[in-house]
Amino acid sequence: MSGAHQGSRDQANPLRQLRLDQLRRRTSIKWREYPDDVLPLWVAEMDVPLAEPVARAITDAVALGDTGYTAGTAYPEALAEFARRRWGWDGLTVERTALVPDVMHGVVEALRLLTGHGDAVVVNCPVYPPFYGFVGHAGRRIVEAPLGDELRIDFGTLEEAFRVARSGGRPAAYLLCNPHNPTGVLHTADELTAVAALAGRYGVRVVADEIHAPLVSAGARFVPYLSVPGAEHGLSLMSASKGWNLAGLRGGLLVAGPAAAGDLARVPFEVSVGTSHLGVIAHTAAFRDGADWLDALLTGLDDNRRLLAALLAEHLPTVRYRPGQATYLAWLDCRGLGLGDDPAAVFLDRCRVALNSGLAFGTGGAGHVRLNLATSPELLTEAVRRMATAVT
Ligand SMILES: Cc1ncc(COP(=O)(O)O)c(C=O)c1O
């Protein structure tokens, strides 16, 4: 067991703490979108209680009425220390960070810094659906570079997409999802180095969405994009939101490589002022004091990945699942089931399990579903048993 995961021995698995009736009292979208007979394994929320250090930090703030505008550098300092300890990376300096309201608004802001209206943004589909929506809303245009057969970056395809994106000499950006949502693929240092070299050759600016970075399986290591050689011009978005389930306590950080410091300096005050003070308090506590809780979660997620593979082999053997080393998302190829382009709609209708439809993830998503395995082993088991009844 690596040092990073030792704390898990002392902590209970957060995925086993809450009963279904407790979860159904929640008012967030995962639990309110569908009626009570539906098991929700869709949107990226986790069925966990709040990590104790985070709960304490925001409870203390509420008790004090500390609910004004945010100030200071505690959040980037906590992230820099976390990056040093967990990823062995000491290149994150507080001066090259900016608060953003959340990760997707940070992505939009980064694209505004690097590109103009109508310019291209390359994405590796299938990918997190809001990449399409937010890029469009920002007035930029998507160029797809589909993942290869192994669900990894295909460098021939990426190069062609860079060429198309830069045609006419216009600025272009590459919105890299590291680790990748929905596949859970963790990009290697070699792959990220190749990305930096290709981006440098074509003059494409890289924006790495690294929101899932803390969620990496035991024995694997996340490589920050900005830590690889040649990535100096890159920007990264980081947050404790996915690792500690803080979407309701919004807050993100835009991090610049050394050669992108000038771009970062142009982030307007009007953007950084949009970050929630309670969010900053929660995210700071998570990165600073939440490592033991995270380690227990990661052990539980590893167990769930193995459980899901076993359940599918037993109940739905034609579904193809390639367990990733990161995120709590499983990308299931259901084309062998003969349920058409949108199996999620069939699973919802026939057996009352809510999954994300692959269709929203761009080219390559048809016939696929995304399943959120950040739940108890019991609910995961029940979901797959129900899904099996949809095809018998
Ligand atoms: C890759 C990715 N980026 C961004 C987000 C959303 O982040 P935020 O709520 O901070 O905008 C998610 C949420 O699931 C995600 O998976």
Side-chain angles (χ1 to χ4, degrees), residues 44 102-104 128 177 181 209 211-212 242 250:
D102 54 38
V103 166
M104 285 316 297
Y128 180 57
C177 196
N181 172 359
D209 176 340
I211 194 171
H212 289 276
K242 292 300 124 184
R250 308 188 78 75

PDB file of all heavy atoms in Angstrom, residues 44 102-104 128 177 181 209 211-212 242 250, ligand 1:
ATOM      1  N   ALA A  44     -22.829  13.417 -11.625  1.00  0.00           N
ATOM      2  CA  ALA A  44     -21.629  13.208 -10.812  1.00  0.00           C
ATOM      3  C   ALA A  44     -21.748  13.837  -9.424  1.00  0.00           C
ATOM      4  O   ALA A  44     -21.093  14.832  -9.094  1.00  0.00           O
ATOM      5  CB  ALA A  44     -20.403  13.734 -11.552  1.00  0.00           C
ATOM      6  N   ASP A 102     -16.319  28.340 -10.459  1.00  0.00           N
ATOM      7  CA  ASP A 102     -16.333  26.876 -10.459  1.00  0.00           C
ATOM      8  C   ASP A 102     -15.544  26.451 -11.685  1.00  0.00           C
ATOM      9  O   ASP A 102     -15.055  27.296 -12.449  1.00  0.00           O
ATOM     10  CB  ASP A 102     -17.767  26.317 -10.454  1.00  0.00           C
ATOM     11  CG  ASP A 102     -18.611  26.866 -11.591  1.00  0.00           C
ATOM     12  OD1 ASP A 102     -18.077  27.040 -12.698  1.00  0.00           O
ATOM     13  OD2 ASP A 102     -19.810  27.145 -11.371  1.00  0.00           O
ATOM     14  N   VAL A 103     -15.428  25.153 -11.908  1.00  0.00           N
ATOM     15  CA  VAL A 103     -14.534  24.700 -12.975  1.00  0.00           C
ATOM     16  C   VAL A 103     -15.049  25.090 -14.361  1.00  0.00           C
ATOM     17  O   VAL A 103     -14.288  25.591 -15.193  1.00  0.00           O
ATOM     18  CB  VAL A 103     -14.275  23.182 -12.863  1.00  0.00           C
ATOM     19  CG1 VAL A 103     -13.642  22.627 -14.135  1.00  0.00           C
ATOM     20  CG2 VAL A 103     -13.359  22.938 -11.668  1.00  0.00           C
ATOM     21  N   MET A 104     -16.335  24.879 -14.631  1.00  0.00           N
ATOM     22  CA  MET A 104     -16.790  25.169 -16.001  1.00  0.00           C
ATOM     23  C   MET A 104     -16.761  26.672 -16.303  1.00  0.00           C
ATOM     24  O   MET A 104     -16.448  27.061 -17.439  1.00  0.00           O
ATOM     25  CB  MET A 104     -18.181  24.584 -16.253  1.00  0.00           C
ATOM     26  CG  MET A 104     -18.172  23.071 -16.447  1.00  0.00           C
ATOM     27  SD  MET A 104     -16.834  22.429 -17.526  1.00  0.00           S
ATOM     28  CE  MET A 104     -17.210  23.186 -19.094  1.00  0.00           C
ATOM     29  N   TYR A 128     -17.370  14.694 -21.381  1.00  0.00           N
ATOM     30  CA  TYR A 128     -18.298  15.399 -20.488  1.00  0.00           C
ATOM     31  C   TYR A 128     -19.197  16.365 -21.281  1.00  0.00           C
ATOM     32  O   TYR A 128     -18.693  17.354 -21.852  1.00  0.00           O
ATOM     33  CB  TYR A 128     -17.443  16.138 -19.464  1.00  0.00           C
ATOM     34  CG  TYR A 128     -18.162  16.954 -18.434  1.00  0.00           C
ATOM     35  CD1 TYR A 128     -19.114  16.377 -17.598  1.00  0.00           C
ATOM     36  CD2 TYR A 128     -17.848  18.304 -18.260  1.00  0.00           C
ATOM     37  CE1 TYR A 128     -19.761  17.143 -16.631  1.00  0.00           C
ATOM     38  CE2 TYR A 128     -18.471  19.067 -17.288  1.00  0.00           C
ATOM     39  CZ  TYR A 128     -19.433  18.482 -16.489  1.00  0.00           C
ATOM     40  OH  TYR A 128     -20.060  19.242 -15.537  1.00  0.00           O
ATOM     41  N   CYS A 177      -9.402  16.697 -20.965  1.00  0.00           N
ATOM     42  CA  CYS A 177     -10.041  16.242 -19.727  1.00  0.00           C
ATOM     43  C   CYS A 177      -9.098  15.244 -19.069  1.00  0.00           C
ATOM     44  O   CYS A 177      -8.919  14.125 -19.560  1.00  0.00           O
ATOM     45  CB  CYS A 177     -11.389  15.593 -20.076  1.00  0.00           C
ATOM     46  SG  CYS A 177     -12.473  15.417 -18.659  1.00  0.00           S
ATOM     47  N   ASN A 181     -13.359  12.125 -18.318  1.00  0.00           N
ATOM     48  CA  ASN A 181     -14.757  11.819 -18.057  1.00  0.00           C
ATOM     49  C   ASN A 181     -15.407  11.646 -19.429  1.00  0.00           C
ATOM     50  O   ASN A 181     -15.325  12.575 -20.240  1.00  0.00           O
ATOM     51  CB  ASN A 181     -15.386  13.014 -17.307  1.00  0.00           C
ATOM     52  CG  ASN A 181     -16.890  12.910 -17.143  1.00  0.00           C
ATOM     53  OD1 ASN A 181     -17.515  11.973 -17.593  1.00  0.00           O
ATOM     54  ND2 ASN A 181     -17.468  13.916 -16.502  1.00  0.00           N
ATOM     55  N   ASP A 209      -8.793  20.388 -17.917  1.00  0.00           N
ATOM     56  CA  ASP A 209      -9.797  20.292 -16.847  1.00  0.00           C
ATOM     57  C   ASP A 209      -9.378  19.129 -15.953  1.00  0.00           C
ATOM     58  O   ASP A 209      -9.499  17.959 -16.334  1.00  0.00           O
ATOM     59  CB  ASP A 209     -11.167  20.064 -17.477  1.00  0.00           C
ATOM     60  CG  ASP A 209     -12.278  19.861 -16.439  1.00  0.00           C
ATOM     61  OD1 ASP A 209     -11.958  19.514 -15.286  1.00  0.00           O
ATOM     62  OD2 ASP A 209     -13.456  20.011 -16.795  1.00  0.00           O
ATOM     63  N   ILE A 211     -10.445  18.422 -12.744  1.00  0.00           N
ATOM     64  CA  ILE A 211     -11.350  18.373 -11.594  1.00  0.00           C
ATOM     65  C   ILE A 211     -11.363  16.985 -10.938  1.00  0.00           C
ATOM     66  O   ILE A 211     -11.565  16.876  -9.733  1.00  0.00           O
ATOM     67  CB  ILE A 211     -12.772  18.820 -12.011  1.00  0.00           C
ATOM     68  CG1 ILE A 211     -13.648  19.098 -10.791  1.00  0.00           C
ATOM     69  CG2 ILE A 211     -13.436  17.795 -12.919  1.00  0.00           C
ATOM     70  CD1 ILE A 211     -14.991  19.751 -11.121  1.00  0.00           C
ATOM     71  N   HIS A 212     -11.129  15.927 -11.741  1.00  0.00           N
ATOM     72  CA  HIS A 212     -11.183  14.569 -11.179  1.00  0.00           C
ATOM     73  C   HIS A 212      -9.817  14.110 -10.639  1.00  0.00           C
ATOM     74  O   HIS A 212      -9.684  12.945 -10.240  1.00  0.00           O
ATOM     75  CB  HIS A 212     -11.675  13.573 -12.240  1.00  0.00           C
ATOM     76  CG  HIS A 212     -13.132  13.725 -12.584  1.00  0.00           C
ATOM     77  ND1 HIS A 212     -14.135  13.153 -11.844  1.00  0.00           N
ATOM     78  CD2 HIS A 212     -13.750  14.413 -13.577  1.00  0.00           C
ATOM     79  CE1 HIS A 212     -15.314  13.455 -12.375  1.00  0.00           C
ATOM     80  NE2 HIS A 212     -15.107  14.235 -13.417  1.00  0.00           N
ATOM     81  N   LYS A 242     -15.130  17.407  -7.136  1.00  0.00           N
ATOM     82  CA  LYS A 242     -15.448  15.995  -7.383  1.00  0.00           C
ATOM     83  C   LYS A 242     -14.886  15.112  -6.270  1.00  0.00           C
ATOM     84  O   LYS A 242     -15.545  14.200  -5.804  1.00  0.00           O
ATOM     85  CB  LYS A 242     -14.912  15.531  -8.747  1.00  0.00           C
ATOM     86  CG  LYS A 242     -15.587  16.135  -9.935  1.00  0.00           C
ATOM     87  CD  LYS A 242     -17.075  15.837 -10.005  1.00  0.00           C
ATOM     88  CE  LYS A 242     -17.842  17.132 -10.070  1.00  0.00           C
ATOM     89  NZ  LYS A 242     -19.285  16.981 -10.046  1.00  0.00           N
ATOM     90  N   ARG A 250     -19.598  25.784  -4.371  1.00  0.00           N
ATOM     91  CA  ARG A 250     -18.812  25.943  -5.582  1.00  0.00           C
ATOM     92  C   ARG A 250     -17.507  26.705  -5.354  1.00  0.00           C
ATOM     93  O   ARG A 250     -17.433  27.597  -4.521  1.00  0.00           O
ATOM     94  CB  ARG A 250     -19.656  26.639  -6.641  1.00  0.00           C
ATOM     95  CG  ARG A 250     -20.992  25.948  -6.843  1.00  0.00           C
ATOM     96  CD  ARG A 250     -21.760  26.495  -8.004  1.00  0.00           C
ATOM     97  NE  ARG A 250     -21.258  26.008  -9.273  1.00  0.00           N
ATOM     98  CZ  ARG A 250     -21.478  24.769  -9.721  1.00  0.00           C
ATOM     99  NH1 ARG A 250     -22.145  23.908  -8.994  1.00  0.00           N
ATOM    100  NH2 ARG A 250     -21.007  24.402 -10.883  1.00  0.00           N
TER     101      ARG A 250
HETATM  102  C1  LIG B   1     -14.766  16.989 -16.311  1.00  0.00           C
HETATM  103  C2  LIG B   1     -15.661  17.867 -15.489  1.00  0.00           C
HETATM  104  N1  LIG B   1     -15.479  19.203 -15.496  1.00  0.00           N
HETATM  105  C3  LIG B   1     -16.256  20.026 -14.771  1.00  0.00           C
HETATM  106  C4  LIG B   1     -17.287  19.542 -13.995  1.00  0.00           C
HETATM  107  C5  LIG B   1     -18.176  20.503 -13.255  1.00  0.00           C
HETATM  108  O1  LIG B   1     -17.420  21.291 -12.401  1.00  0.00           O
HETATM  109  P1  LIG B   1     -18.055  22.586 -11.726  1.00  0.00           P
HETATM  110  O2  LIG B   1     -19.332  22.136 -11.076  1.00  0.00           O
HETATM  111  O3  LIG B   1     -17.007  23.056 -10.760  1.00  0.00           O
HETATM  112  O4  LIG B   1     -18.295  23.553 -12.843  1.00  0.00           O
HETATM  113  C6  LIG B   1     -17.511  18.165 -13.943  1.00  0.00           C
HETATM  114  C7  LIG B   1     -18.613  17.623 -13.128  1.00  0.00           C
HETATM  115  O5  LIG B   1     -18.921  16.467 -13.140  1.00  0.00           O
HETATM  116  C8  LIG B   1     -16.674  17.304 -14.703  1.00  0.00           C
HETATM  117  O6  LIG B   1     -16.846  15.973 -14.699  1.00  0.00           O
END
